Structure formats: structure tokens, C-alpha cells
Amino acid sequence: MLEQTFKVIDKVGMPHVMSFMSEQLREFNTNELEWIKLLPLNKKALLHGACHFPFESAKGTRSGYRIRASVNVDHAPPFRFEHWGRVPSTTNKRGWVSGEQTFFFDDLEQCAVHTLSHECFHFLAATGQTALQNIEANANWWADQWLKSFQSRQD
């Protein structure tokens, strides 16, 4: 288990979600991760996520990777979200192609876990900690795996 040095910021009030995310990241090198943040979203969208890559500011200070997810606290569950996924294919040697997929979440916690996990994948792929290609279909597949783990702990 590696030492974690990143900040965990929860502005939605889901400490068990943020604890789960920290646990999932324990097996990875997070030295370049500055923070992981969960925020409320008050636009029409259900969710929004971002993985910001390191940059140097005009003042010469360097940031680390920054993972952010925002979830709409005003929407009522269940939730549906359309995005890129691994669509089964008998003609592709991988057994899947990247295509539109519908993701379902029973509650806002599941939505938050999936969105944060998706962005964590982008961080892990960018830092060479997974061999999977850094594409949206793989990020959502990764998020599905972490969400299943989260759900199994809730049962």
C-alpha cells in the first residue's frame, strides 16, 4: 500500500464515497495527484467530471493532477446517462467497439462513484499505471468495475 499525499475535498457530503475512492487509489502511485474533489452541480446536466493534467502557472508554480466530479443534487433518482462505452462486437478482435451506451445509477452516490472513477482512470492511464488506452470507453468500463466494488460493499 502506498502513502497518499493528495487532498480529498467533499462539498456534497458523501464521506463514504470519498473514503472508497481513496481506498481504490491506495494501490497506485498518487504522488502526482494534487486533489480529488466532489462538488454539487446546479446546471441541467446530471454530472460532469474532469481530470486536469499538471501545468505551470504564470507565477511559475506547478500543479499536480486534479480530479473533479460534480453531481446534480437537485435531480431525483434513478439516473440515466448516455456516454461512450464498450459495446460488444463479434467482428472486432477485442470483442467490443467504442460506441454509445446508457449507464444507470440507482442513487446519487453511485453517480458520484462512477464519475470519480472515470476521471481516476484518466489519471492512471496518463501516468502509465494501466495498460489500457486512455479513451472514454475504457474510462467508463473502469468506472463500472469500481462501481461494482462500491455496490458490493453497500450490500
Side-chain angles (χ1 to χ4, degrees), residues 81-117:
F81 183 70
E82 302 277 331
H83 205 244
W84 294 102
R86 288 183 172 188
V87 178
S89 170
T90 56
T91 59
N92 188 291
K93 65 182 177 182
R94 294 183 301 209
W96 61 271
V97 294
S98 183
E100 191 172 297
Q101 184 177 347
T102 303
F103 297 88
F104 298 95
F105 310 114
D106 292 334
D107 57 41
L108 202 57
E109 290 175 351
Q110 290 179 10
C111 183
V113 166
H114 197 275
T115 307
L116 285 165
S117 300

Side-chain angles (χ1 to χ4, degrees), residues 102-139:
T102 303
F103 297 88
F104 298 95
F105 310 114
D106 292 334
D107 57 41
L108 202 57
E109 290 175 351
Q110 290 179 10
C111 183
V113 166
H114 197 275
T115 307
L116 285 165
S117 300
H118 174 109
E119 299 308 330
C120 284
F121 171 82
H122 288 307
F123 160 70
L124 296 170
T127 56
Q129 297 186 71
T130 177
L132 296 173
Q133 186 182 8
N134 195 359
I135 61 173
E136 295 300 293
N138 283 338

Side-chain angles (χ1 to χ4, degrees), residues 144-155:
D144 284 345
Q145 306 318 301
W146 281 18
L147 179 57
K148 286 176 191 170
S149 178
F150 177 79
Q151 290 170 313
S152 72
R153 295 177 189 195
Q154 302 299 304
D155 294 336

